[in-house]
Amino acid sequence: MKKIIALTLALMLMVCCLAGCGEKKNENVLTMATNAEFPPFEYLEGETIVGADVDIANAIAEKLGKTLEITNIDFDAALTGAATGKYDVAIAGVTATDERRQNMGFTNDYYTASQAIIVTADSAIKAASDLEGKTISCQEGTTGEQYLLDNSYTVQSFKTGAEAITALVSGKVDAVVIDDAVARALSAKQDGKTVVLDEALTEEAYAIVTKLGNDALIEEINTALAELKEEGKLAEIFEKYELPYDAE
Ligand code: GLN
């Protein structure tokens, strides 16, 4: 009887161990969270997530000797997911801000961006100074939203930039504030109904998000990024997506 109990216990222990091992992170995989609603950095082509960030992530993963595994979720969830370590990284055109640096790690910058204004083609709004008292849409949880709140505009936030621009075209808001390259990409799909103003509202830099203090991974990615820059691979990727890039 004792033997049977011992054997059962041993078996149970073994099963537990195996299950535990299964949950352990696969060292050969780089898990990435993104929000595929941000063309041309990440967007859906059919079922596939594509874009400049995806190409950069694949190039980094290759240098790290890992396979890239992408999860498509809301923008704020992607940030939280990387900050808590649920995913190794969030790559989603994420602006490295001081506020975010309080609770997530950032690699070096890889792209310079700004917030831009989209208005309807016939709008009287020609510059940021014309925005006073206007209702402006943006994407939830972004630096665009933060800019609008900081400057006391009436804000309508949407889960995606596409919804924010739909609100503009249907006359629900007077303007959209969103990252410049994305503004151009979204506006280009509105059959000439919208235009992007030249004025840049902010200056921002995109970087890759990790868990706070994951310095080993940050270091590895920084090395990979520097190599990709040196090799001209970054410039090549940005050119492919018609993204202006100053390789310095
Ligand atoms: N760059 C902006 C931010 O970090 C928007 C990013 C996004 O919507 N994917 O808040």
Side-chain angles (χ1 to χ4, degrees), residues 3-248:
K3 238 185 184 172
I4 291 174
I5 292 173
L7 207 73
T8 312
L9 278 175
L11 257 173
M12 273 169 71
L13 204 73
M14 219 171 87
V15 170
C16 283
C17 261
L18 281 175
C21 289
E23 274 165 28
K24 232 185 177 179
K25 277 210 167 150
N26 185 343
E27 298 290 326
N28 301 319
V29 174
L30 183 73
T31 54
M32 157 181 166
T34 196
N35 172 238
E37 296 281 355
F38 203 63
F41 289 94
E42 42 270 330
Y43 55 100
L44 287 173
E45 226 170 54
E47 302 271 281
T48 316
I49 306 167
V50 297
D53 278 341
V54 177
D55 287 10
I56 293 169
N58 269 308
I60 291 172
E62 196 180 316
K63 285 203 181 283
L64 267 51
K66 298 184 183 203
T67 315
L68 186 70
E69 210 175 86
I70 307 178
T71 304
N72 182 21
I73 46 179
D74 284 345
F75 179 68
D76 38 12
L79 290 188
T80 315
T84 56
K86 182 169 182 195
Y87 306 98
D88 295 322
V89 290
I91 313 183
V94 183
T95 304
T97 65
D98 289 342
E99 202 184 335
R100 287 176 181 160
R101 282 183 197 282
Q102 306 291 313
N103 46 39
M104 50 193 95
F106 278 102
T107 65
N108 290 337
D109 306 342
Y110 65 90
Y111 196 73
T112 307
S114 65
Q115 292 302 313
I117 305 162
I118 315 174
V119 292
T120 50
D122 57 0
S123 176
I125 301 168
K126 304 283 181 212
S129 53
D130 300 327
L131 288 179
E132 223 185 296
K134 304 292 187 211
T135 302
I136 307 165
S137 64
C138 63
Q139 192 186 352
E140 197 172 278
T142 64
T143 45
E145 179 182 62
Q146 197 57 51
Y147 171 86
L148 293 172
L149 295 173
D150 289 347
N151 290 281
S152 310
Y153 290 110
T154 306
V155 181
Q156 270 189 34
S157 302
F158 294 90
K159 280 277 173 214
T160 67
E163 292 165 277
I165 200 166
T166 299
L168 172 70
V169 173
S170 61
K172 292 198 181 79
V173 299
D174 304 301
V176 181
V177 164
I178 195 161
D179 296 47
D180 53 349
V182 180
R184 288 191 298 272
L186 291 176
S187 186
K189 284 192 269 178
Q190 309 304 317
D191 302 320
K193 287 190 197 121
T194 59
V195 289
V196 181
L197 302 184
D198 276 335
E199 200 172 345
L201 300 174
T202 59
E203 197 182 303
E204 308 183 8
Y206 293 168
I208 295 169
V209 182
T210 68
K211 190 174 173 180
L212 191 64
N214 192 350
D215 296 336
L217 181 61
I218 291 175
E219 208 39 59
E220 272 187 285
I221 295 177
N222 282 343
T223 305
L225 274 175
E227 284 175 16
L228 291 170
K229 194 171 175 178
E230 183 68 32
E231 293 158 8
K233 183 70 186 168
L234 278 189
E236 192 184 294
I237 291 170
F238 292 131
E239 199 185 321
K240 173 177 165 191
Y241 293 95
E242 291 174 18
L243 285 160
Y245 179 63
D246 178 10
E248 292 141 64

